[in-house]
Amino acid sequence: MTARRLVAALAATLALAVAPALRAEPPFSFATTPGALPKDIVPVEYALHLRPDIGTRSFRGTQTITVDVLRPTAAIVMNALDLVVAAATLRGADGRPIALAPPRHDTATQTIAFALSAPLVPGRYTLTMAWRGKINGAVEGLYLDRQADADGGERLTLATDLEPTSARRVLPCWDEPAFRARFRLTVDIGAGANAYSNMPIAQSVALAGGGRRISFEATPPMPSYLLALVAGDLERVGETIDGTRLGVVAMRGKSGRAAYPLAASGDLLRYFNDYFALPYPLPKLDQIAIAGGFSGGMENWGAIVYNESVLLVDPATASEATHQRVHALIAHEMAHQWLGNLVTMAWWDNLWLNEAFAEWMAVKANAQAFPEAHLWLRAKRAAENAMELDARSTTHPIQQPVTRDSEAESAFDTITYNKGSAFLRMLEAYLGETAFRDGIRQYLKRHRYANATSADLWAALADASGKPVAALAADWTTQAGFPLLDVDAQCDAGRRRVVIRQLPFRVPGASAAAATASEGEPRWNVPVQLGSVGTGDYVLVSGASAVVEREDDCAEPLVVDAADVGFFRVRYSAPLFDALATRWPALPDGARLKLLADTSALVRADQAPLARWLALVERIDDEPRLALWDQLLDDLERFDRLSVGEPERPAFHRFAVSVVAPRFARLGWEERADEPAEARQLRGRLAATLSRYGDAATIAEGQRRFARWVGEPASLAPSLVNAVIGIAGRHADVATYETLLALARRAPTSEERFRAYRAAATARDPALAARTLPLALDRDVPQIIRHELLASVARSDHLALAWSFARSHADALLADMKLFDGGQAFAGIVATSSSAATADELEAFARARLTDDALVEVRRAEDEIRTRARLKARLWPELAATVGEPPAPIEPVLFPRPAPAPPRPGMP
Ligand SMILES: [Zn+2]
């Protein structure tokens, strides 16, 4: 932080205010943690043996659980789902059996209960049981991933996916995160297979008739959702870093793509060991690639599982963006090994403690690994998505009550991840990087191998920083929404008087009116950095308004939140806005990004004139930062959605081309050795955008390059491959479409297969779009792709076609996915619509066909569509009239040439 130049805070509103309505969350206490299971018995260790039978898609399980009875109780209640529990024996410390009634299953609560004839006295017991369970086809519990082989056979991988509440599908257990226990897993596997779990192998014994019985070392005490098993025809490459055996595990024959993830996990292990000041606690850590299954990663302790498309990297063809993406995902999952696994949220209402933390830490680790890529700025794109959701009536606080297990799944959303991580970024900037890091270290040290609540985090951060963190942070995690700061200022003779008014930022939606301040509205304690170009200091705005006087250079414009770390919007008075726009190229990167993003959001919320956004767009031509282009291209897409079905749509597309084409023309199609790293990624982004808006020259050149690339893959720079395949897909004729499908079917890796299918699904030609639809039901198409195809077709200007197909094939589509995913999948098909009638149809469909838990995403999508319909009615006529006019000549705004990028240490 620069030296403080704050002269006086006139209004008393700068004192920290605590919103009275907020309940203060207590520190972690096992007894009072929410959950459905009684807390009078706790598991200490599961000695678990699984015997899968692939032929019958079932398995047998046996286990002896060591439990502590804390209070006298006459029943043992634990979770079990889709398991047939045959028998159980309870023994006390003296080893004598204690009579147990047969288990009573309750499918509604997903539990089994054993009644006892007399209450158990407190003490240690062992519970031995045997059961049968299912091996699932969907990614849930223990599941089987099937991949077609080159010679017509199948390769099978058995794997677990247990978060949040699927451990109970594998073993009867206390399946809530506060019930930590050690797991000692043994599994019988077939001949030729390998098996990986959280811990190293302790023993491997040959079984009669082939196959082996593999026993793993006991895990540390951990929640059940972190247990992992992956078995199949797998191979591993590894090395030892800082005393930890690191490995990358992939299907046999694919470990040639493991070098980058292995190197990245080595760098990240050193980074996290240093940052957390607590060395990674297990003896080994494997990054495991599975060909099918879910699309991201799962942070099982010591055995992180990924879809191979997002972990394995082809050293010959991978672009810089691919390296950044893979590095970020590994960083997220590795950060969980501390934030989530070593210290776990007490209950799902505190999921943000796991997920927002891992997300924030991933950006931090990635930003230091790729310093020239400005990844903190680019991370604002995710924060912007969260702000879009958080400004609507369907939002929720970062911490939200989760009363039933089935609600846990819906907590994994953009608000939890991205608002949460953006809030941590703001808090880190306010407390200072060192104090924040020291607070995290204390938090981990105090609560390791245990659980925590947000209150425990605030306490550690307060101790490290000396600031009242709990009072400041609670309004951000327990209130939905975020503030708009209205800013005005006068400057005279080196003194600037800044007036800041705080009100909730809301988008007028289906029912809500535009934001107006009134008594009783939520307020936030907002850390705000005020300054000029290159300087700034923090003030804390707490009440409805604040007045700040500061010594300042009146020739310089006032900049609020120059680093763009605040989770709030800023609306400048007209003179302040004009001063900033005039100095555009001289503004810090974050200030430019924030001004553009806030202006776009304010225009769409009917709180600023469209002319402000257009004034900034005129200035962006020579913009060097990719993050600003991300924002602008997202804005163009948002406005383009309003144009669907309108006669002025072609004029809007010509406008979009006119905004983007000059920059692309200067970049050219060919990479240059001396260009900044961001330019390489920008080239692909801009080419794809010009294709989207119908720029004939870009389309023709993209098609020419695609045709050449098919026969000569080395002809395309890695950073252009996605864009060129995307252009070919979007403007495909029948032959190109068939080429793409053929490429998808014979692709050697999931990454290439997914890319080809995704390109084919964006075809403009309605006949080709119609050919894509049945692929959503084709079991030869990977499940991840099947589930996103209809939304892709819908977003490629064929919404009615995709929606009609989805409704008429709803039975088959829903049978193919988990219940919760149904809401997301169907909402995703129509979410880009700007027609209220479509929202009505979605509502009717959901009411008839979906379960309550699936409705969360449906309600969000409905609200999004209705909000857009209102926006269209209000803004489209003005936008259409503006872009329909011939463009005025624009004075070029030149940025200083960026310095050459420094080499990236440690990265291939
Ligand atoms: Zn995560």
Side-chain angles (χ1 to χ4, degrees), residues 297 299 332-333 336 354-355 358 417:
E299 70 264 22
H332 176 106
E333 305 304 341
H336 272 314
N354 279 16
E355 294 303 345
Y417 279 66

Side-chain angles (χ1 to χ4, degrees), residues 227-583:
L227 182 65
L229 170 66
V230 180
D233 187 15
L234 306 169
E235 61 188 10
R236 180 182 187 272
V237 295
E239 63 176 322
T240 298
I241 303 277
D242 280 3
T244 301
R245 274 137 52 203
L246 287 179
V248 174
V249 176
M251 213 180 254
R252 188 168 307 286
K254 293 186 176 177
S255 64
R257 293 159 193 260
Y260 180 74
L262 185 62
S265 43
D267 290 344
L268 285 162
L269 185 77
R270 289 194 188 94
Y271 178 77
F272 289 137
N273 279 343
D274 174 62
Y275 186 87
F276 295 129
L278 267 180
Y280 173 76
L282 306 191
K284 69 99 179 171
L285 174 57
D286 288 320
Q287 321 283 336
I288 305 174
I290 297 186
F294 60 103
S295 52
M298 174 58 214
E299 70 264 22
N300 316 301
W301 215 352
I304 306 172
V305 173
Y306 302 83
N307 185 281
E308 65 172 29
S309 67
V310 290
L311 180 72
L312 302 183
V313 173
D314 183 343
T317 61
S319 67
E320 205 147 32
T322 299
H323 287 120
Q324 287 167 9
R325 179 172 52 71
V326 169
H327 192 274
L329 184 58
I330 298 175
H332 176 106
E333 305 304 341
M334 280 183 68
H336 272 314
Q337 306 302 304
W338 288 260
L339 299 163
N341 300 1
L342 185 63
V343 179
T344 310
M345 83 239 135
W347 178 244
W348 301 109
D349 57 355
N350 263 306
L351 179 67
W352 86 281
L353 275 181
N354 279 16
E355 294 303 345
F357 244 127
E359 199 57 29
W360 163 81
M361 196 77 242
V363 181
K364 195 173 177 71
N366 238 31
Q368 61 82 38
F370 300 92
E372 80 290 11
H374 301 278
L375 293 176
W376 273 122
L377 272 191
R378 296 204 73 197
K380 288 301 287 188
R381 198 175 182 200
E384 278 296 318
N385 284 337
M387 288 176 115
E388 290 288 324
L389 290 174
D390 205 23
R392 296 209 306 262
S393 60
T394 45
T395 189
H396 62 82
I398 290 174
Q399 283 181 262
Q400 57 176 342
V402 174
T403 50
R404 289 175 296 130
D405 290 319
S406 56
E407 290 173 354
E409 192 110 35
S410 66
F412 290 78
D413 72 356
T414 302
I415 297 288
T416 302
Y417 279 66
N418 301 125
K419 183 183 181 182
S421 60
F423 167 66
L424 289 172
R425 165 81 166 149
M426 177 166 74
L427 189 61
E428 181 198 25
Y430 178 59
L431 300 181
E433 274 191 281
T434 305
F436 194 80
R437 183 204 64 196
D438 291 348
I440 305 288
R441 287 177 173 179
Q442 288 211 34
Y443 166 78
L444 288 172
K445 209 167 162 187
R446 281 180 198 166
H447 306 287
R448 59 186 151 168
Y449 301 109
N451 296 61
T453 68
S454 304
D456 296 309
L457 175 65
W458 307 148
L461 289 172
D463 289 350
S465 67
K467 290 184 176 155
V469 177
L472 183 156
D475 9 318
W476 294 93
T477 55
T478 61
Q479 287 187 137
F482 58 91
L484 164 67
L485 302 183
D486 248 331
V487 179
D488 197 5
Q490 267 79 43
C491 203
D492 188 27
R495 283 176 79 80
R496 199 189 301 265
R497 186 170 189 274
V498 185
V499 180
I500 302 175
R501 204 163 60 92
Q502 171 181 181
L503 58 163
F505 179 77
R506 292 198 189 111
V507 167
S511 55
T516 46
S518 69
E519 283 314 308
E521 287 280 26
R523 309 248 185 256
W524 291 261
N525 288 292
V526 194
V528 182
Q529 203 181 31
L530 291 181
S532 312
V533 175
T535 68
D537 9 69
Y538 267 104
V539 296
L540 198 65
V541 176
S542 293
S545 62
V547 180
V548 182
E549 284 206 1
R550 55 196 318 279
E551 290 171 9
D552 225 337
D553 178 355
C554 293
E556 291 288 339
L558 175 72
V559 182
V560 180
D561 191 21
D564 198 7
V565 296
F567 199 82
F568 49 79
R569 302 240 180 253
V570 176
R571 178 169 58 187
Y572 293 98
S573 66
L576 294 182
F577 179 88
D578 292 344
L580 286 167
T582 308
R583 293 292 309 275

Side-chain angles (χ1 to χ4, degrees), residues 618-637:
E618 282 178 5
R619 291 175 160 80
I620 210 159
D621 183 46
D622 210 27
E623 172 59 49
R625 290 285 88 82
L626 191 50
L628 270 282
W629 286 100
D630 284 340
Q631 176 65 42
L632 176 69
L633 302 185
D634 287 349
D635 284 342
L636 289 174
E637 203 173 317

